[in-house]
Amino acid sequence: MTQPHREHHESPFKGKTGLTRLFNALRYSLDGLRAAFKHEDAFRQECILAAVLIPLALFMPVSGAGKALLIGSVLFLMIVELINSAIEATVDRVSLEHHLLAKRAKDIGSAAVLLALVNLACVWGLVLLG
């Protein structure tokens, strides 16, 4: 007994495979980084923070695992900020009117960034102070 054919409704942009898909994904990712840097003050500030902290982590007298934790906490903050910015842009695209669910989504995204900042401070404090 065969299953009836189900039609999949996927994005028309999902058709690429192989190296073409990888190059497209890289281009879209770089476009996203450029857009975040251009339009998001917080992301620009975190890029400055990363430009200071990542080289500093590399020269710290800590183990390789310690350096990885220090750098990872900075990159984690930037990742969370990118996701938060995407949530905010999506909510604003749907509607600019005030709505409880829109506020909740933005507040939760902001809380995620706060926790990533707390994580960064804790990791740096624990690695450097023992």
Side-chain angles (χ1 to χ4, degrees), residues 11-61:
S11 168
F13 303 108
K14 291 283 187 186
K16 306 293 184 201
T17 61
L19 285 178
T20 302
R21 187 194 68 76
L22 290 175
F23 286 126
N24 286 344
L26 175 62
R27 189 179 79 234
Y28 299 145
S29 297
L30 294 175
D31 287 348
L33 288 171
R34 275 191 290 277
F37 194 84
K38 180 179 179 182
H39 299 287
E40 301 296 333
D41 291 336
F43 186 72
R44 281 193 302 276
Q45 293 167 352
E46 290 157 2
C47 286
I48 293 167
L49 187 66
V52 172
L53 291 182
I54 291 174
L56 186 63
L58 292 172
F59 292 105
M60 287 288 182

Side-chain angles (χ1 to χ4, degrees), residues 63-125:
S63 68
K67 291 177 194 293
L69 285 168
L70 295 174
I71 293 168
S73 67
V74 174
L75 294 176
F76 180 68
L77 170 64
M78 296 176 79
I79 291 165
V80 173
E81 184 63 52
L82 287 168
I83 294 168
N84 180 50
S85 296
I87 290 168
E88 289 181 353
T90 302
V91 167
D92 289 346
R93 168 61 177 94
V94 171
S95 175
L96 292 175
E97 71 182 45
H98 291 288
H99 190 281
L100 179 62
L101 292 176
K103 179 182 182 338
R104 185 185 308 164
K106 288 183 172 191
D107 289 351
I108 291 170
S110 180
V113 173
L114 175 63
L115 290 178
L117 279 165
V118 169
N119 177 69
L120 185 145
C122 290
V123 167
W124 277 74

